Amino acid sequence: EAPAVIRTILLTFPEIGGEGAAGKLEQIRARVAALRLPACPEVKISVSIGGIQRSGSLNAQLLHAEKALYRAKEKKNAVEVSE
């Protein structure tokens, strides 16, 4: 089994709302997944992204984003957005 490197990164796009946010997250996922490492051509990058499109307290927003992230991880190489 290939070794895995997992990182969690928080991005905010306050100027993008609605479907624009989901589209932006999908663009990021696709671009990162398309990256190749010349020294290790057999390595493939999988990106799972969870996002939110709601207001509320920071804690509530992070909780919903985390739940969306875990749904995306279950699918693998996917974007999930909580509304």
Side-chain angles (χ1 to χ4, degrees), residues 10-82:
L10 174 64
L11 303 173
T12 62
F13 300 104
E15 69 283 352
I16 301 173
E19 290 299 315
K24 182 57 132 180
L25 295 177
E26 178 55 32
Q27 285 178 351
I28 292 168
R29 187 213 57 77
R31 287 183 181 179
V32 173
L35 294 174
R36 296 294 175 254
L37 304 172
C40 303
E42 70 282 0
V43 172
K44 294 191 176 165
I45 300 171
S46 174
V47 181
S48 300
I49 300 175
I52 58 169
Q53 297 180 13
R54 59 173 55 213
S55 59
S57 71
L58 179 59
N59 285 340
Q61 290 180 8
L62 291 174
L63 177 64
H64 288 289
E66 184 177 35
K67 287 179 181 180
L69 174 60
Y70 282 107
R71 287 194 310 272
K73 284 182 176 184
E74 287 176 1
K75 292 180 178 181
K76 295 191 175 157
N77 207 28
V79 171
E80 281 288 316
V81 178
S82 176

